[in-house]
Amino acid sequence: MLKRSITVLARWDSEAGVWSASSDDVYGLAAEATTLDELVKVLDVLVPELVQLNGIQDGSDVPELPICVMAETLSRVRIAQA
């Protein structure tokens, strides 16, 4: 099955102080890093390895596969009471 791109969801875990990554497109993908930039560097290594192991490209001669990293974080703000 030839994929056109890989979508990765990156979530901030405030308790652990790390970004974690998962993807429905790449079976077995689980990665963590302290910054989003570091996480992308980890993904640049992990995703090609998992794509090959999972047979996502099926011998395709496509030299590159885009990775779309979607970052999700939660922030809370105080609302002044009138």
Side-chain angles (χ1 to χ4, degrees):
M1 168 176 78
L2 175 64
K3 296 294 269 183
R4 299 273 183 220
S5 66
I6 300 293
T7 300
V8 174
L9 180 58
R11 289 188 174 107
W12 175 249
D13 181 340
S14 59
E15 289 183 20
V18 297
W19 284 93
S20 63
S22 62
S23 176
D24 290 339
D25 295 335
V26 182
Y27 178 76
L29 178 64
E32 292 182 343
T34 55
T35 68
L36 194 53
D37 286 339
E38 288 176 13
L39 183 62
V40 170
K41 289 177 185 176
V42 170
L43 294 172
D44 286 345
V45 174
L46 278 181
V47 170
E49 292 174 359
L50 289 170
V51 163
Q52 185 177 21
L53 287 172
N54 292 328
I56 292 174
Q57 287 296 101
D58 284 343
S60 170
D61 59 357
V62 175
E64 293 181 342
L65 187 61
I67 301 171
C68 176
V69 178
M70 300 176 64
E72 179 181 281
T73 186
L74 175 66
S75 180
R76 297 178 188 264
V77 295
R78 291 225 178 254
I79 307 297
Q81 298 295 320

